[in-house]
Every structure is written in C-alpha cells, then in structure tokens.
Amino acid sequence: MAAVLFAALMTTTVLTSCGSSDDEPAKAKFTKAVVKYTVTSNDATLGQFKVNVYGTDADGNGFIETMSNPSYTKVVEIPLSKLPCKVELYTRVSPLEDKITTEMFNFKVDRTIDVMTLNSDNTVVEDKERTNSSFEDNVPAGTSLSELARRMNYHTKFVISIDVNGIITDQTQESLL
C-alpha cells in the first residue's frame, strides 16, 4: 500500500514539474492591417456636388462610396492572408447640376488615410497617416461648378503598401490625379 501511495505521489510531482516549464508566454505575431478612411466636407459642398470616395476593401479590391453627409468614415481590417497589398484613397466630385453658382459658398473636402498593422495582442507594428485637403473659401457667385470640380479633383491620390511582415510603405507620389 505504501509503495502505491509513493508511486502516485511521485507521478503527481513529476507531472507538475514538467508542466510548469511549458508556461512561457507566447510571443505576439503580426496578424492584420487596419485601414481607416476619413473624408469630411461641408453642407455647402454637398449641396452642390456629389462626392465619391475611392478606397480599397479587405480583399484588396477597390470600392466607391458616395458621401451622404459631411462626415465619412470607413474602417477596413485586412487579414494576414490578404497581404501583401496596396491600399488607396482619393475622392472625385461632380456637380449635381452643371450650372453657374448664384451665390458665394465655401468648397471643402478633407481626406485622411490611417494605416496600422497589429500583432495578435493588438500591439502596433507600424502606423502611418496621410492627410490632404481640397478647399476654396468664398467661391464667388458666377463660378462654373464643372470648372470648380475639375480644379478640386486635381489632388494627390494616396497609395500605401503593406507587406506580409506588417511593414507599411507610403508610395504616394505628390503628383496629382
């Protein structure tokens, strides 16, 4: 009986001591990229123009969405399985009516892209943000909306590359659309 008790005690001790060496914390690994698209405008601009937002979805495909209010935000999570990829952001405006303005107004479209890569424990690997604006204060009455749209669509297109290790490279060229 003593031998059986001793054997049971030793088995528990051996299993306990073996199990404790395997409790080292797992190292966080890169798992995904998060892209936040933000475009802001104003009521005066949206009253005269349709503002389309062009970006990249979670599968690496392009999307087009039309702003319905002065603040637009879209967050896209890109899993490791879809990397490497490039993400883009730009906007295009077109007049709701091809006309000449009858009163003065302020035109505004601000664009921001924030690209972040995250580990499995949500620690940030890298984070890059780019912003630019198209604005014209006090657009005078008598301005052609088509001509104003042509000028305001002439802006930088953001292009950002994300590799399989979570490294972000801004490939935006300051040339205009």
Side-chain angles (χ1 to χ4, degrees), residues 22-83:
D22 294 334
D23 291 340
E24 294 177 24
K27 184 177 178 186
K29 295 181 181 179
F30 171 61
T31 58
K32 65 183 173 183
V34 177
V35 182
K36 182 178 179 183
Y37 302 96
T38 305
V39 180
T40 56
S41 189
N42 59 23
D43 289 330
T45 301
L46 295 178
Q48 302 284 345
F49 296 92
K50 176 172 84 170
V51 179
N52 284 332
V53 178
Y54 295 77
T56 308
D57 68 15
D59 291 324
N61 300 315
F63 68 79
I64 304 169
E65 294 183 3
T66 301
M67 290 181 69
S68 58
N69 62 56
S71 182
Y72 169 91
T73 300
K74 181 174 184 137
V75 177
V76 174
E77 289 192 12
I78 304 170
L80 180 60
S81 63
K82 298 294 182 176
L83 297 177

Side-chain angles (χ1 to χ4, degrees), residues 25-177:
K27 184 177 178 186
K29 295 181 181 179
F30 171 61
T31 58
K32 65 183 173 183
V34 177
V35 182
K36 182 178 179 183
Y37 302 96
T38 305
V39 180
T40 56
S41 189
N42 59 23
D43 289 330
T45 301
L46 295 178
Q48 302 284 345
F49 296 92
K50 176 172 84 170
V51 179
N52 284 332
V53 178
Y54 295 77
T56 308
D57 68 15
D59 291 324
N61 300 315
F63 68 79
I64 304 169
E65 294 183 3
T66 301
M67 290 181 69
S68 58
N69 62 56
S71 182
Y72 169 91
T73 300
K74 181 174 184 137
V75 177
V76 174
E77 289 192 12
I78 304 170
L80 180 60
S81 63
K82 298 294 182 176
L83 297 177
C85 76
K86 288 183 183 177
V87 293
E88 299 180 348
L89 172 64
Y90 63 99
T91 57
R92 301 293 274 174
V93 299
S94 57
L96 296 175
E97 294 180 54
D98 190 12
K99 64 179 185 177
I100 304 297
T101 60
T102 57
E103 58 185 44
M104 184 175 67
F105 73 98
N106 294 328
F107 180 96
K108 173 187 170 200
V109 178
D110 296 326
R111 292 163 291 279
T112 301
I113 185 170
D114 184 10
V115 180
M116 196 175 3
T117 53
L118 300 172
N119 285 323
S120 54
D121 63 356
N122 284 328
T123 56
V124 176
V125 177
E126 284 200 13
D127 188 6
K128 294 218 189 297
E129 182 178 295
R130 289 290 307 257
T131 299
N132 77 3
S133 297
S134 295
F135 65 92
E136 190 167 317
D137 289 334
N138 303 320
V139 175
T143 300
S144 163
L145 293 181
S146 294
E147 176 59 26
L148 181 60
R150 188 188 65 73
R151 287 195 327 260
M152 295 297 113
N153 285 333
Y154 198 63
H155 61 81
T156 300
K157 175 181 180 179
F158 297 128
V159 180
I160 298 177
S161 176
I162 309 162
D163 76 9
V164 295
N165 298 310
I167 306 303
I168 301 168
T169 306
D170 188 349
Q171 297 181 324
T172 302
Q173 296 180 6
E174 295 305 319
S175 63
L176 305 173
L177 288 175

Side-chain angles (χ1 to χ4, degrees), residues 7-27:
L9 181 61
M10 289 306 291
T11 302
T12 304
T13 304
V14 170
L15 292 176
T16 302
S17 64
C18 288
S20 64
S21 65
D22 294 334
D23 291 340
E24 294 177 24
K27 184 177 178 186

